[in-house]
Amino acid sequence: MCVCVCVCVCVQSGPASLPAEDISTNSNGPKQDSLFDDDPEDLFAEATEEVSLDSPERDVLLSDGPSPAITPITPPTSVITPRIGLAHDDMFTHSSFDEIEEEEGGDSFDIHIAVSDPEKVGDGMNAYMAYKVTTKTSLSLFKTDEFSVKRRFSDFLGLHSKLASKYLHIGYIVPPAPEKSIVGMTKVKVGKEDQSSNEFVEKRRSALERYLMRTVKHPILLKDPDVLQFLESSELPRAVSTQALSSAGLLRMVNKAADAVNKMTIKMNESDAWFEEKQQHFENLDVQLRKLHASVESLVCHRKELSVNTAQFAKSAAMLGNSEDHTALSRALSQLAEVEEKIDQLHQDQANADFYLFSELLGDYVRLITAVKGVFDHRMKTWQKWQDSQLLLQKKREAEAKLQFTNKPDKLQQAKDEIKELEGKVQQGERDFEQISKTIRKEVSRFEKERVKDFKTIIIKYLESLVQTQQQLIKYWEAFLPEAKAIS
Amino acid sequence: MCACVCHPTDATLQVDISDALSERDKVKFTVHTKSTLPNFKQNEFSVVRQHEEFIWLHDSFVENEDYAGYIIPPAPPRPDFDASREKLQKLGEGEGSMTKEEFTKMKQELEAEYLAIFKKTVAMHEVFLCRVAAHPVLRKDLNFHVFLEYNQDLSVRGKNKKEKLEDFFKNVVKSADGVLVAGVKDVDDFFEHEKTFLLEYHNRVKDASAKSDRMIRSHKSKNQLHFRTETQQVSCSPDRKFFLKVSELFEKTRKIEARVAADEDLKLADLLKYYLRESQAAKDLLYRRSRSLVDYENANKALDKARAKNRDVLQAETSQQLCCHKFEKISESAKQELIDFKTRRVAAFRKNLVELAELELKHAKVKGLVTVRSR
């Protein structure tokens, strides 16, 4: 139902006059096999096709429709703009309006990725886990409907670092990859086939699956050639720069530190209240989610403890029943022991549900929010760059003015050339800044929608598991009651 | 309120604790008696007693040789509010660091916990008195009547260090003796069986009681957490209504879980604890009987020796007869006591297990409903 409302709003918003230069600045934009020429007419024709292909995504896109906070400058269709760069956008919305209405089957996102079959390859410290990545889709973006490849953890990290380097600085929220864990992996490598290493592998497998699903849910990232290559091609060049102790790793750490320092020194004049409000919102959200995550983790701990204690009590009650010489009571006590044992199992299952559904989701979002904050920081950096080049331009202009009064024609010419160049840079800086601000607005609203949807689905699943547990409990106690009554 | 099932109270003597007051470091119980017995001045009266006076009464039973053949009802445990008081204090100290809402909520919870402990200790003291009043012999005890009627302070001071040390040594001797005595196989099948049974039962009840305590404690600590989880949910997102409902749900289920833990505590843990103490008392009875048996046998040997030496025969004979008489008296009453013990035990377990199951069912159903409704 959201879809309709939002689409209406789009149609009412005035045509966005997007500078046609957008398309030429593809150096900053997503690297893609450009499916479209610069010929407006062809674009128009192909674009309509494009729209119907991607309609499921368009659902997601359009349902992001401008909320009151977002000003009408950002029509949802602008995501496609970098590729098409056309002021005919509102015509698209018109023509696709009907299709969207028909497609109103909801958010059926037509691609599903599963990560399965972790397999240990190799031996000793060079061993690694290979995971099977299976993609099922009906999008014509892919060559076949169903295919699978083998990937290892560093491949995932490599994919993320490529996407991050391409998209983060222009404002797209790139989902973060699961974290490296040297301790966990070493245990697996060494070959300990015990409970904790199995749990670790399962945790990682599930995290990788969520990571991939999140990445392809993003309409731009889905079309990225690196993503497509990752999903489809059987051989992937080994991503060496993801190793923790490599030179690239060290470089990353140095960069992170430098960024942190810079962040403290940049004082940005926030002209747009929206950004200030959103940043504050994400700060708060970050704090809350971390707290909640910690709480849920300790809940899991306690539930596990409860289950252990219940199991012990069950054994003890069984022994008590054995030594009781009144037969009916003895039997009842043994029954009690059985009931408690089953309850213990229930507790364990519940703890698993707590963990896998809730806690991991929260952990994911804590990391996602860090990515969001990173995007805001990039915007600040872009602004800084723009301001810097503006300042430089001003200085050069002053220098030129001074040179006017001296008689050095070649120096003057040089100054004039520099100024021309700088003016271009300033304009570019301003455009970059506006672009990133626009992108961020859209990304943030998409992110929020996804987040609420994610939380809702998980919570509903969690509640269902709670209901299940309760029903089982009821069954167990109902079976026990007549036994207890039979004691005479 | 009793964890055990007392014999049906008859009009001749009814005892209960009608009121209790918790002061800083002691609890004052108002013991209320209704009686038609002639030895009391009035038909209905109340006195105020403290825990030490209950212990004094119990000990006077234990030390009374005439009661050696009975299971002495176990003394109520000392009221222990330390843990609860500590928590309240901590809460007071941490008042600044949490919101007013949180503070009042936690305060309410801790106060409810305090109240629950309080009710429990009152119940346990009452059970002790009930059992004494229901016992055909013990109810006639003079000390008991004094305890019930004398409305001044009994000036029973708690044991000082010397006496506590004496007690300790007495217990050591007793347990050493107990091992020796347990080794002696009893001629009487009934008692032999009871002995083995009680020994094993006592150990297992101890184990079960400890484990059930732990289980319930971890149940309770799990509940503490949900509390904070839900408050954080609320500020989490723009979709206020949904998350508010969820956090309300968590709060409701948490309250229900708290009740479940409290009920388990009452029906299961208390039951086991009580029978731990009673089985200890039954063991003590058996010990006394074995002791008197050993005395009897020693007296027999002494008599034989005296007859052989033809010296102090009369003295040996009287002593032997006394021992014999004592032993037989104890055996007879012990038999009856142990049979009663079993009946009481079975009935108590039945009552509590049934109630436990019913309560668990009730709570599980409520929880299920609440969760389903919030979907």
Side-chain angles (χ1 to χ4, degrees):
Chain A
M1 5 163 211
C2 308
V3 177
C4 284
V5 171
C6 297
V7 167
C8 288
V9 178
C10 305
V11 169
Q12 283 163 18
S13 69
S17 51
L18 298 155
E21 288 139 323
D22 259 348
I23 195 174
S24 58
T25 59
N26 256 345
S27 51
N28 259 354
K31 285 194 210 128
Q32 288 198 40
D33 312 320
S34 44
L35 304 165
F36 316 98
D37 312 325
D38 292 345
D39 189 338
E41 276 162 344
D42 273 0
L43 271 169
F44 189 78
E46 262 164 279
T48 3
E49 237 189 337
E50 180 67 44
V51 161
S52 52
L53 254 180
D54 300 349
S55 327
E57 292 163 73
R58 293 274 305 214
D59 271 3
V60 176
L61 278 183
L62 287 166
S63 62
D64 293 343
S67 56
I70 302 182
T71 57
I73 309 174
T74 43
T77 53
S78 62
V79 171
I80 311 185
T81 317
R83 286 180 278 144
I84 308 173
L86 212 43
H88 295 283
D89 283 348
D90 44 328
M91 292 167 108
F92 287 146
T93 38
H94 262 297
S95 59
S96 54
F97 187 107
D98 302 65
E99 285 160 85
I100 297 301
E101 291 249 49
E102 282 165 34
E103 230 90 2
E104 213 222 25
D107 294 312
S108 54
F109 187 60
D110 219 354
I111 174 169
H112 183 73
I113 302 189
V115 174
S116 56
D117 307 330
E119 236 184 271
K120 184 159 165 216
V121 177
D123 258 330
M125 284 314 286
N126 286 331
Y128 62 90
M129 295 300 277
Y131 301 90
K132 186 161 122 178
V133 177
T134 315
T135 318
K136 287 200 188 107
T137 175
S138 60
L139 295 175
S140 62
L141 205 52
F142 298 96
K143 304 189 191 95
T144 49
D145 280 354
E146 185 169 337
F147 47 90
S148 61
V149 290
K150 282 237 179 245
R151 294 282 177 257
R152 55 182 289 187
F153 187 64
S154 53
D155 293 337
F156 289 84
L157 291 183
L159 174 66
H160 170 74
S161 83
K162 283 195 212 138
L163 291 179
S165 64
K166 281 197 271 185
Y167 294 100
L168 265 184
H169 62 267
I170 47 172
Y172 289 104
I173 301 174
V174 178
E179 282 168 349
K180 265 179 129 26
S181 162
I182 301 187
V183 173
M185 264 327 273
T186 325
K187 263 205 224 159
V188 173
K189 284 184 188 179
V190 164
K192 273 171 80 172
E193 273 294 323
D194 66 347
Q195 180 72 8
S196 66
S197 58
N198 283 342
E199 274 179 21
F200 172 76
V201 171
E202 175 54 32
K203 220 170 106 168
R204 177 162 277 194
R205 181 208 69 79
S206 150
L208 289 175
E209 193 173 281
R210 288 194 308 270
Y211 165 64
L212 281 183
M213 279 306 284
R214 270 206 197 97
T215 310
V216 296
K217 275 206 185 121
H218 194 299
I220 298 285
L221 295 182
L222 172 61
K223 302 209 165 56
D224 183 281
D226 282 323
V227 171
L228 298 177
Q229 186 191 35
F230 181 88
L231 290 176
E232 281 184 319
S233 69
S234 44
E235 282 300 318
L236 207 61
R238 175 95 187 275
V240 194
S241 66
T242 58
Q243 279 165 348
L245 298 174
S246 65
S247 54
L250 288 173
L251 192 61
R252 267 202 303 277
M253 281 199 282
V254 169
N255 279 338
K256 263 201 207 152
D259 278 349
V261 171
N262 276 339
K263 203 167 116 174
M264 291 194 281
T265 53
I266 295 181
K267 259 289 167 188
M268 179 166 167
N269 279 342
E270 191 53 82
S271 50
D272 197 339
W274 186 87
F275 280 94
E276 217 174 289
E277 177 200 321
K278 280 297 167 184
Q279 266 190 294
Q280 193 55 46
H281 166 76
F282 280 113
E283 287 288 328
N284 290 343
L285 198 57
D286 192 25
V287 167
Q288 293 294 352
L289 279 181
R290 275 177 207 270
K291 268 203 252 173
L292 191 56
H293 189 207
S295 286
V296 174
E297 286 201 317
S298 67
L299 176 66
V300 172
C301 234
H302 273 81
R303 223 193 262 279
K304 287 212 170 125
E305 193 188 309
L306 176 60
S307 129
V308 165
N309 285 343
T310 312
Q312 285 189 332
F313 173 69
K315 283 207 198 91
S316 176
M319 299 247 304
L320 186 63
N322 273 343
S323 66
E324 173 66 62
D325 58 356
H326 187 270
T327 26
L329 180 55
S330 162
R331 196 175 49 235
L333 281 173
S334 318
Q335 290 285 58
L336 179 67
E338 270 182 41
V339 167
E340 292 285 345
E341 221 182 283
K342 290 195 200 135
I343 291 183
D344 147 52
Q345 192 56 45
L346 264 185
H347 278 138
Q348 261 193 40
D349 292 341
Q350 182 67 52
N352 280 335
D354 285 346
F355 178 70
Y356 280 112
L357 288 185
F358 228 167
S359 171
E360 288 282 274
L361 172 77
L362 288 172
D364 281 352
Y365 269 95
V366 167
R367 282 198 302 278
L368 268 170
I369 296 222
T370 319
V372 172
K373 291 209 279 196
V375 154
F376 276 98
D377 289 343
H378 274 292
R379 177 172 170 271
M380 272 215 290
K381 274 202 246 166
T382 317
W383 181 84
Q384 187 67 25
K385 233 172 76 174
W386 174 32
Q387 295 298 87
D388 284 347
S389 47
Q390 259 195 334
L391 276 171
L392 195 58
L393 176 65
Q394 195 156 4
K395 275 204 200 126
K396 290 283 175 180
R397 282 208 174 120
E398 286 171 4
E400 190 226 9
K402 282 202 197 128
L403 279 177
Q404 291 270 16
F405 297 111
T406 67
N407 211 348
K408 293 189 186 148
D410 47 337
K411 279 235 171 112
L412 192 60
Q413 187 56 39
Q414 188 188 31
K416 279 204 164 63
D417 290 337
E418 281 178 354
I419 287 179
K420 232 214 183 82
E421 204 187 311
L422 275 177
E423 276 176 353
K425 269 219 184 112
V426 166
Q427 277 190 340
Q428 180 61 42
E430 184 171 358
R431 274 198 305 271
D432 284 346
F433 180 68
E434 272 176 26
Q435 183 61 42
I436 194 176
S437 303
K438 238 190 299 189
T439 317
I440 290 184
R441 280 175 193 267
K442 232 183 329 79
E443 282 288 291
V444 162
S445 88
R446 191 188 70 91
F447 175 78
E448 287 286 278
K449 281 264 156 41
E450 276 294 318
R451 177 170 73 86
V452 173
K453 199 160 63 135
D454 257 350
F455 269 83
K456 261 194 175 153
T457 348
I458 294 290
I459 287 187
I460 290 183
K461 266 207 213 134
Y462 181 65
L463 288 183
E464 309 236 318
S465 81
L466 277 183
V467 170
Q468 277 273 41
T469 315
Q470 289 320 306
Q471 286 178 339
Q472 282 293 77
L473 263 182
I474 290 177
K475 261 202 243 147
Y476 293 150
W477 284 109
E478 272 181 350
F480 175 70
L481 191 55
E483 280 290 335
K485 286 200 171 140
I487 308 173
S488 58
Chain B
M1 274 245 262
C2 302
C4 78
V5 174
C6 303
H7 284 290
T9 47
D10 51 320
T12 49
L13 185 60
Q14 268 182 22
V15 185
D16 64 271
I17 297 187
S18 58
D19 195 11
L21 190 62
S22 164
E23 285 179 8
R24 173 109 50 139
D25 55 351
K26 51 189 168 207
V27 183
K28 293 202 169 120
F29 302 96
T30 307
V31 178
H32 169 248
T33 319
K34 252 194 181 148
S35 168
T36 54
L37 287 178
N39 12 14
F40 294 115
K41 295 197 200 88
Q42 302 163 295
N43 278 354
E44 190 170 344
F45 47 88
S46 296
V47 293
V48 177
R49 290 285 171 247
Q50 290 183 31
H51 175 73
E52 285 79 20
E53 291 162 320
F54 285 79
I55 301 297
W56 164 82
L57 184 62
H58 172 260
D59 288 347
S60 76
F61 288 150
V62 171
E63 286 159 12
N64 190 333
E65 284 283 335
D66 287 342
Y67 301 143
Y70 307 119
I71 297 184
I72 311 291
R78 204 181 72 93
D80 182 15
F81 294 105
D82 289 341
S84 187
R85 224 173 269 141
E86 232 183 80
K87 278 196 216 159
L88 270 172
Q89 208 179 9
K90 260 199 223 150
L91 179 66
E93 284 167 12
E95 181 171 356
S97 67
M98 47 180 115
T99 66
K100 191 131 202 296
E101 254 184 53
E102 272 184 24
F103 180 72
T104 27
K105 256 201 195 150
M106 286 212 75
K107 187 151 167 271
Q108 274 178 359
E109 276 187 18
L110 284 181
E111 282 177 351
E113 205 182 295
Y114 190 89
L115 193 64
I117 299 182
F118 187 68
K119 277 196 190 151
K120 257 211 265 184
T121 187
V122 167
M124 293 204 259
H125 284 75
E126 194 178 67
V127 160
F128 171 69
L129 291 178
C130 279
R131 287 265 281 118
V132 175
H135 195 282
V137 176
L138 290 177
R139 78 207 312 231
K140 301 191 193 121
D141 181 77
L142 193 57
N143 281 338
F144 183 47
H145 289 179
V146 167
F147 178 90
L148 289 177
E149 203 177 13
Y150 189 57
N151 53 11
Q152 304 284 339
D153 190 5
L154 286 174
S155 4
V156 164
R157 55 171 177 70
K159 298 195 171 160
N160 63 17
K161 269 211 188 124
K162 176 155 165 273
E163 284 169 343
K164 282 203 185 139
L165 207 58
E166 281 176 2
D167 268 352
F168 174 71
F169 277 124
K170 254 196 254 173
N171 274 334
V172 170
V173 168
K174 189 164 108 181
S175 42
D177 253 353
V179 171
L180 279 171
V181 162
V184 174
K185 184 157 170 18
D186 206 315
V187 173
D188 190 331
D189 271 344
F190 174 79
F191 283 105
E192 182 60 25
H193 168 79
E194 284 296 311
K195 195 163 62 171
T196 21
F197 163 70
L198 266 179
L199 272 173
E200 196 187 49
Y201 188 76
H202 177 79
N203 284 336
R204 298 222 172 137
V205 167
K206 192 158 34 163
D207 189 47
S209 170
K211 301 265 164 68
S212 77
D213 271 349
R214 260 212 291 197
M215 176 176 87
I216 289 173
R217 240 180 314 153
S218 49
H219 208 163
K220 284 194 179 147
S221 64
K222 182 185 71 118
N223 288 340
Q224 297 289 50
L225 283 172
H226 256 156
F227 176 72
R228 275 188 272 136
T229 310
E230 51 94 343
T231 40
Q232 283 147 15
Q233 292 264 38
V234 184
S235 20
C236 210
S237 93
D239 201 355
R240 278 257 134 89
K241 212 167 73 152
F242 175 74
F243 282 105
L244 256 164
K245 261 174 73 177
V246 171
S247 66
E248 268 174 29
L249 167 69
F250 279 145
E251 181 61 11
K252 277 197 210 140
T253 45
R254 198 180 65 87
K255 286 214 180 90
I256 296 178
E257 290 263 336
R259 300 268 292 284
V260 171
D263 284 338
E264 278 183 358
D265 195 15
L266 212 59
K267 300 293 166 192
L268 198 54
D270 277 356
L271 175 72
L272 290 171
K273 268 194 244 173
Y274 185 79
Y275 276 94
L276 179 61
R277 294 202 303 278
E278 269 241 31
S279 56
Q280 181 63 44
K283 267 172 67 181
D284 288 345
L285 169 63
L286 279 184
Y287 166 74
R288 289 196 292 270
R289 178 177 168 278
S290 305
R291 248 249 88 79
S292 81
L293 178 60
V294 168
D295 286 344
Y296 179 35
E297 286 177 352
N298 285 345
N300 268 341
K301 289 203 197 113
L303 181 59
D304 286 344
K305 251 208 297 201
R307 281 198 180 135
K309 290 201 188 141
N310 218 334
R311 246 201 318 169
D312 299 320
V313 174
L314 192 58
Q315 196 185 32
E317 267 184 1
T318 26
S319 131
Q320 188 253 25
Q321 269 188 1
L322 231 78
C323 284
C324 175
H325 179 71
K326 181 165 154 200
F327 173 68
E328 279 171 0
K329 191 171 93 154
I330 289 183
S331 295
E332 203 182 301
S333 59
K335 199 169 201 159
Q336 189 55 44
E337 287 280 311
L338 286 170
I339 292 177
D340 283 346
F341 173 59
K342 179 161 164 175
T343 326
R344 268 202 318 269
R345 187 178 75 237
V346 172
F349 267 81
R350 178 184 194 279
K351 175 163 172 276
N352 280 359
L353 285 178
V354 168
E355 285 177 1
L356 174 71
E358 286 177 346
L359 280 169
E360 293 262 5
L361 256 178
K362 185 175 94 169
H363 290 313
K365 285 194 179 138
V366 172
K367 243 205 290 186
L369 270 177
V370 165
T371 324
V372 167
R373 227 181 278 143
S374 320
R375 266 199 297 179

